[in-house]
Amino acid sequence: MNTTSSPTLHSTSPLAGERALVLGGGGSAGNAWLIGVIAGLFEAGLDVTEADLIIGTSAGSTAAAQIASASSTELLAAIVDAAPQPPRPAKSDGEGVRVGPVVDHLKRTGAIIADAEGAADMRRRMGADALETAAASDGSEQGRWRATVAARLPSQHWPDRTMFITAVDARTGEPVVFDRYSGVDLVDAIAASCSGPGSPAYGIGDNRYIDGGYRRNENADLAAGYKRVLVLSPFGGRTRHPLGWGMQLVAQVDELLAGGSRVEMVFPDSSSSDAFGDNMMNPSARPPAAQAGFHQGRSLAKRLTEFWS
């Protein structure tokens, strides 16, 4: 679907709702871990997919759409039963980070972060880099990436519930939030949100977007006004940005607490971190990451049920 208008950042009002579920970015393995944790909670009697608001960023945006249209148990089984995949080669095949070695992306984006004067400047620089990558490509990448994202979704339609999918305007550096009223297809919203380091800026109509994690990795602050906020962060709340920029999860949580929300955060435990290995973009890490997340979710269910109920 084409659109020529840029979606605007949504704002929430005090007491906007009861419960919000926040799913942060974390690559291919992080997505599997998110599904595993949610499935483990469900197995133990807690269904967090019934949240009044679900916020998804990057890999978390895919997970948000997946749990909104399929059971976490089915999603977990699909990950665990999938055919083994070899470790990702230096040049990707269109299944995640799609241009060059991961280490080169980290070095390149690390230099952009180091040179930036602040978060807004960093976003503009990241957008310019992604636009440059897009200009140097033959344009076929976008279609392949959209098809990859579409294949991951049980449904390609927005769910009939409140769901925010985050991205950043590549040309202006301004954060955007897509929802079912934005006039943007769900597949396109997620493809934009997952357009990470080394990827061309993702085009929707006349606009171009990059990964929503460049706003904040979890974007939990978008749950302002919700009484209880559960944050699942595959990266464990870590940030590559200077703490003075306020990008880190702790800063987001402080904002929520100041607004009267109660917040619980779930980070990968040692078993989950071991399952990720040294490359969270590696699809071969998905089954062990999902299984570790499942066991972690089951172990957390009692405590989180008291918080969520």
Side-chain angles (χ1 to χ4, degrees):
M1 176 176 182
N2 290 334
T3 178
T4 56
S5 60
S6 179
T8 57
L9 182 65
H10 290 254
S11 62
T12 53
S13 59
L15 303 179
E18 289 288 333
R19 299 174 296 183
L21 175 65
V22 179
L23 305 179
S28 185
N31 168 270
W33 177 79
L34 290 169
I35 296 299
V37 171
I38 294 168
L41 292 171
F42 181 78
E43 176 73 13
L46 175 59
D47 185 3
V48 296
T49 68
E50 295 181 342
D52 301 297
L53 166 67
I54 300 177
I55 298 169
T57 297
S58 197
S61 71
T62 305
Q66 289 169 328
I67 64 170
S69 55
S71 76
S72 58
T73 303
E74 294 171 341
L75 294 167
L76 175 66
I79 295 171
V80 173
D81 296 341
Q85 299 187 52
R88 186 179 304 284
K91 291 292 184 179
S92 174
D93 58 2
E95 292 290 329
V97 170
R98 308 182 294 286
V99 182
V102 171
V103 66
D104 286 353
H105 301 323
L106 293 175
K107 182 177 180 180
R108 185 173 180 175
T109 55
I112 292 174
I113 293 169
D115 290 341
E117 297 179 358
D121 185 43
M122 179 273 297
R123 293 185 193 106
R124 287 190 293 269
R125 289 171 181 258
M126 290 291 185
D129 184 75
L131 289 169
E132 182 180 336
T133 300
S137 70
D138 63 5
S140 62
E141 169 69 13
Q142 166 129 348
R144 291 196 301 270
W145 179 231
R146 191 183 194 283
T148 295
V149 171
R152 295 171 176 170
L153 305 182
S155 171
Q156 297 181 20
H157 302 287
W158 284 96
D160 187 21
R161 63 168 69 189
T162 305
M163 178 183 293
F164 292 167
I165 303 298
T166 64
V168 170
D169 188 303
R171 293 195 176 101
T172 67
E174 289 296 316
V176 297
V177 177
F178 299 109
D179 66 11
R180 68 182 186 272
Y181 302 112
S182 298
V184 170
D185 285 350
L186 177 63
V187 175
D188 286 322
I190 293 172
S193 186
C194 295
S195 188
S199 305
Y202 186 82
I204 304 177
D206 295 333
N207 302 310
R208 297 292 181 268
Y209 300 96
I210 58 175
D211 197 302
Y214 290 125
R215 179 187 181 274
R216 282 173 155 178
N217 195 59
E218 297 84 10
N219 292 298
D221 56 298
L222 293 176
Y226 284 77
K227 293 182 180 179
R228 284 159 289 177
V229 182
L230 175 61
V231 184
L232 307 187
S233 174
F235 283 135
R238 300 189 304 275
T239 182
R240 299 171 63 203
H241 306 101
L243 297 184
W245 292 2
M247 302 276 282
Q248 65 272 23
L249 179 57
V250 170
Q252 301 168 45
V253 171
D254 285 345
E255 294 169 21
L256 290 170
L257 294 175
S261 300
R262 295 173 57 200
V263 183
E264 284 282 354
M265 297 175 286
V266 176
F267 300 157
D269 59 16
S270 59
S271 295
S272 296
S273 296
D274 290 343
F276 292 162
D278 59 2
N279 179 7
M280 293 181 71
M281 300 296 180
N282 188 350
S284 68
R286 286 177 58 76
Q291 290 173 319
F294 176 78
H295 293 301
Q296 186 176 355
R298 290 189 63 179
S299 71
L300 292 171
K302 181 178 180 181
R303 175 172 66 85
L304 292 180
T305 296
E306 295 173 354
F307 162 75
W308 196 250
S309 300

